[in-house]
Amino acid sequence: MKYICEICGYTYDPAEGDAMHGIAAGTAFDALPADWTCPVCGVGKDQFKPAE
């Protein structure tokens, strides 16, 4: 499932991961480290919602 940042609109896609933060493709949103932040605006995971 994809998750969208409510602040800037960045979409975290588990199929792509987050290379900027060393997150491998295939990493589920729930498996991201607690201190992971949006690579665009820097907010925490609590500012993301599931994509519809």
Side-chain angles (χ1 to χ4, degrees), residues 3-41:
Y3 282 77
I4 299 173
C5 177
E6 295 182 297
I7 305 303
C8 73
Y10 167 80
T11 300
Y12 175 77
D13 183 350
E16 297 178 10
D18 177 10
M20 289 177 52
H21 288 101
I23 305 297
T27 303
F29 186 81
D30 293 340
L32 292 172
D35 62 351
W36 179 84
T37 58
C38 176
V40 175
C41 69

